[in-house]
Each structure stands twice: as structure tokens, then as C-alpha cells.
Amino acid sequence: MVVLWALALALAAGLAASCPPNFVLIFADDLGYGDLGSYGHPSSTTPNLDQLATAGLRFTDFYVPVSLCTPSRAALLTGRLPVRSGLYPGVLEPGSQGGLPLEEVTLAEVLATRGYLTGMAGKWHLGVGPEGAFLPPRQGFHRFLGIPYSHDQGPCQNLTCFPPATPCDGICDQGLVPVPLLANLSVEAQPPWLPGLEARYVAFARDLMADAQRQGRPFFLYYASHHTHYPQFSGQSSAGRSGRGPFGDSLMELDAAVGALMAALQDLGLLRQTLVIFTADNGPETMRMSHGGCAGLLRCGKGTTFEGGVREPALAFWPGHITPGVTHELASSLDLLPTLAALAGAPLPNVTLDGVDLSSLLLGIGKSPRQTMVFYPAYPDEVHGVFAVRKGKYKAHFFTQGSAHSDTTADPACHASSPLTAHEPPLLFDLSEDPARWPWARTLPCRCVASQAAVPGQPAATAQSPHPEGASPGAVLPMQGLGRMEGVCL
């Protein structure tokens, strides 16, 4: 194992020294684990993403730490649990005073130290601040074109979502100014023409790639699409064409944008020099029913710590470097910062990181070093702390709570009416046998678990030491004296 890691580090260093790769990070919005054709959806029109899955590495066990927009995006860009950066509870609003602290080091800032041209297109949702203090140009991005928060955080009843004149579904948030489209720190349109927005983002991305090539430098593109967040929209080429309604049309346009980005790389001769990663911020907003996504066989969705809320589709594509296939290794959006930094030969920030370097896994010479994943609720507090922990193939739920975002599913545990519930002993599941973790999973007798992951920065709880030093008694409950538990036991 030590030899493999040494080989991985040497190979990553060699790649970075010879020619640092370009990075395209595509981040979808409210996309479910089961929404893509490559993840089993029978009617989604996603040929470009499915081709990425076929020609690249498809992850089956890729997670976000929180199933909500703002904290998930903070985790992606910093490699740190969002409770470290203070981006909780809930999401940032247009009038929020705070944002991603400038002391946090973003992936863009890490790569900029290696000479990367960095750009972001799409949804930011990590704060605006006075004079745009928290916007992407203040967080390491040389260029930015996008909306500073969710496109439903403003009135939309008078907006067109599908051409020529189909209005957006619903009324969105009232009592606010229309959402702005920003070019760096300037307002370009307010509100923007939604059916033309994705085409604008693709053009922005093409220009970034071409300019970086002319300047002889690598680039990092963070493409944070608004698709498939409610209210869905698309341009003429996708409107009414997916066979899956507005959600499907939105997803179809996202897929077409992915195809356009790949075509741009092909035209510039950059395919073999570019690592493309696709994933999403959280699970589907099932309360929207046909206007929401699909978690496949997984339980619940957005706003919960059940698998449907935190497990995401994820693809990695890099011809000549990544062998096509499927991996069941544990991975997270937290891991992208240390992974891309390693591949670029960039130094890591001098802070505690919760992500790990996956370059050995991507390059096919090792396994994921991640063995544990902790999950926080959308509204964490110091009393309850971590809600769930995955270690290897097992997942334990110490607390569960429903969410309005996951209403209308058949399972009442997903709904907002399902209260915060402590589980002693915790609910334990073998995800290799029971990934859905439904409440009627078979119950077997268990033996005690000797250890578990604790709150970051605190030692693990054990059966011998049920409350780790410095931890509040409710932060992470020890899995001691489990008795009988749902699922397959240790």
C-alpha cells in the first residue's frame, strides 16, 4: 500500500511538472442519484453525460456532506465541512450579510497559485456582501458570469422559462428584487432572460478555454449550472423535447451544455489535457413531484441525511489517464480540492482539510483513502452535531429528521412532519446489501461496535469511552450495546 501511494504521488507530481492539466468541474443543482440514464433512469435524455460515464469513471458511492445548496457548495470549494466555515444553518438569502469567509481558501485560489486562469459560470450561492465582498472575483476566480444565489430567490411569476412565452411555474420568493445576472462585480441584466442563460454560460466557458490556450496557461472552469433546480427553464432546442416535462427539458439542456463543453475541448485539441468532473450539490427536491428529480432506489432526498439526500451521481473523464469503468470506492465532493491540487502540483492551504486526495483512484493505481463520511443536517446545532456516519459499507443514523424538500414521497420519514428523532441504539445499515435503507429492512441481532467516527477535531467514541473528551454528550452517540437494529449488522 505504501508503494502504491508513493507511486501515485510520483505520477501526480510528474503530470503536474510536465504540463498541469486543465480542470472542468460541472456542478448540477438538485439532481437526484437516479436522474441520469447512466444511473438507471428509463426516460432521461442525457446522451452526453451517459457518454462521459461510458468513457470515464462512474462513481456509485459519491457523497456530499450536507444536502442543501449553500453548505454543499462551500464544502466543494474549500474541502472542508461547512460547519468549519460557519455556513449554516440553511442557505444564504439575497439579503444575508455574511458569506464564505475570505479567510477560507478556495479551490480557485489554490490553482491560481500555479498560474491557472480561473473562471466560474452559473450559480454562486456563497454570499454577496458589501460591494460584492464575498462574490467569486474576491474568492480566487479571475472571471465570473452568473447569478449570486438561486434563481428562485426572487419573484418569477412574470418571467419566461421556456420560449417563446411559457411562464415559470409558481411565484418563487416574493418581496425581493428580481435576481441579477452578474459579470464579475457588475449587474449585466436584472432579471436575465432565462431561456438564453445556459448558452451564455457555454460561450463564457469557450472563451475562458481559448484565452487560456492563447496565454499558454492551464485553466480551471467551475461550471455551476442552475439545472435542474426549480423553476426549471431551457432554451428553444430543449423546450418540450425531452418527454419528461419541464424537469426533463432542463436536464436535457444541461446535458447539451456538457456536450458543448466537450466539443469546445475537442476543437481546441485539449481533451487529453483536461480532467472533466461532473456531480451535483444535493439530492432531488421531491416536494416538486414531476418538477423535482429522482433519487432512484435511495431513500428521501434534499434536506435529509438519508442516502437520497447526500449520495450523488459523479463522473470523472480524462482520456489517456482515467481508465473507463465503475468504482464503488467511497468518495466525496470534499475530496476534489486536495485531488486537483495534487494533480496540479499546487500546495495545500495551511488549514484542516476534511477531503482526501483521490488521484491514485482516478489514475487507476490505488484505492480511495476515504473510509469514513460524516453527514450534518441542513440546520445543525451544537447539541445534536453529526446526524449520520458512514464507515466502510456501514452507515449509522444517530438522528433522523424529515424535510419539506422531501415531501410527497411515499415514505413519511422523509416529510417535514417527521420530527427530529434520536436513535439509541442508532439505526445501522449495510449499504452493500440495503442501499435504500427502507424502514422495513430486515432486523438482525448485532454485536457492539468498538469505534466510530467522531465530530471533526475530536477523538472517536468507543464502547469503553462512550463520550469522547471535549465532546458534548449528544454530539455523536456511541454505538454501544446495540441490541437489535434495522439493517444488516456488523
Side-chain angles (χ1 to χ4, degrees):
M1 180 61 72
V2 174
V3 174
L4 284 177
W5 280 115
L7 179 61
L9 290 172
L11 185 54
L15 289 170
S18 60
C19 183
N22 307 303
F23 300 120
V24 176
L25 174 55
I26 306 169
F27 209 47
D29 199 354
D30 287 5
L31 186 71
Y33 187 81
D35 274 319
L36 305 184
S38 55
Y39 280 80
H41 199 283
S43 61
S44 286
T45 308
T46 54
N48 293 293
L49 286 165
D50 296 345
Q51 178 59 31
L52 277 188
T54 300
L57 187 62
R58 183 170 69 85
F59 290 79
T60 63
D61 294 67
F62 190 95
Y63 288 93
V64 295
V66 182
S67 61
L68 211 58
C69 297
T70 292
S72 180
R73 290 161 197 272
L76 175 80
L77 290 181
T78 65
R80 287 157 54 84
L81 290 165
V83 293
R84 296 192 190 275
S85 55
L87 286 179
Y88 68 92
V91 301
L92 290 170
E93 303 292 338
S96 296
Q97 296 299 304
L100 181 66
L102 298 182
E103 294 78 13
E104 292 288 333
V105 182
T106 69
L107 177 55
E109 290 172 313
V110 169
L111 296 176
T113 66
R114 283 283 286 149
Y116 278 71
L117 179 63
T118 60
M120 182 197 165
K123 174 180 175 178
W124 175 238
H125 215 176
L126 290 174
V128 178
E131 306 299 323
F134 300 115
L135 289 172
R138 311 294 194 199
Q139 306 274 13
F141 289 97
H142 299 123
R143 303 180 185 181
F144 169 56
L145 178 68
I147 292 175
Y149 30 80
S150 288
H151 65 283
D152 68 332
Q153 290 184 302
C156 64
Q157 64 268 27
N158 296 321
L159 299 184
T160 296
C161 271
F162 297 94
T166 301
C168 295
D169 181 67
I171 60 175
C172 302
D173 291 349
Q174 299 298 297
L176 301 170
V177 299
V179 296
L181 175 66
L182 302 183
N184 293 325
L185 299 176
S186 301
V187 176
E188 184 172 292
Q190 191 171 10
W193 171 248
L194 293 178
L197 200 53
E198 203 74 17
R200 291 290 313 280
Y201 292 160
V202 169
F204 170 92
R206 283 179 173 270
D207 289 344
L208 182 82
M209 297 174 189
D211 289 348
Q213 186 180 53
R214 279 193 293 269
Q215 296 171 22
R217 60 196 294 198
F219 67 82
F220 166 52
L221 170 65
Y222 174 38
Y223 193 94
S225 178
H226 303 283
H227 298 319
T228 52
H229 196 289
Y230 169 90
Q232 287 83 28
F233 62 86
S234 81
Q236 187 64 53
S237 61
S238 299
R241 296 174 183 266
S242 71
R244 197 183 163 189
F247 184 94
D249 295 350
S250 170
L251 178 57
M252 185 178 181
E253 181 167 83
L254 170 62
D255 182 82
V258 172
L261 295 177
M262 301 306 295
L265 292 171
Q266 177 73 45
D267 294 344
L268 294 168
L270 296 175
L271 268 181
R272 295 182 68 86
Q273 291 81 48
T274 306
L275 168 59
V276 179
I277 295 176
F278 174 89
T279 188
D281 63 346
N282 50 249
E285 191 173 35
T286 60
M287 66 174 285
R288 305 290 179 186
M289 295 183 286
S290 65
H291 289 257
C294 171
L297 82 166
L298 303 181
R299 190 179 185 188
C300 303
K302 181 177 179 178
T304 75
T305 52
F306 291 108
E307 289 291 283
V310 292
R311 197 193 295 205
E312 287 299 316
L315 311 169
F317 174 83
W318 190 6
H321 300 278
I322 292 179
T323 302
V326 177
T327 178
H328 305 295
E329 294 288 308
L330 189 60
S332 169
S333 58
L334 290 163
D335 303 331
L336 297 186
L337 184 147
T339 301
L340 300 194
L343 293 172
L348 292 174
N350 188 26
V351 295
T352 299
L353 292 177
D354 299 298
V356 298
D357 177 9
L358 297 177
S359 58
S360 178
L361 174 65
L362 294 180
L363 299 174
I365 56 176
K367 295 186 176 183
S368 169
R370 177 172 291 283
Q371 295 298 315
T372 302
M373 187 73 198
V374 298
F375 303 100
Y376 282 88
Y379 295 84
D381 59 59
E382 294 181 359
V383 174
H384 300 97
V386 172
F387 264 36
V389 176
R390 175 167 176 179
K391 184 173 177 60
K393 64 181 182 177
Y394 299 102
K395 186 176 182 183
H397 288 267
F398 308 103
F399 301 95
T400 55
Q401 187 173 21
S403 170
H405 295 294
S406 288
D407 275 347
T408 76
T409 63
D411 183 359
C414 306
H415 302 170
S417 59
S418 179
L420 172 63
T421 303
H423 299 284
E424 177 57 54
L427 307 180
L428 182 66
F429 298 87
D430 180 341
L431 297 181
S432 67
E433 295 192 14
D434 181 24
R437 299 183 347 276
W438 292 103
W440 49 82
R442 57 196 177 101
T443 302
L444 296 175
C446 303
R447 62 178 175 83
C448 294
V449 176
S451 65
Q452 67 172 76
V455 176
Q458 297 174 347
T462 67
Q464 289 73 36
S465 175
H467 297 299
E469 182 178 354
S472 59
V476 180
L477 298 180
M479 296 193 289
Q480 180 179 7
L482 298 182
R484 294 177 63 86
M485 306 179 70
E486 292 184 25
V488 180
C489 304
L490 287 171

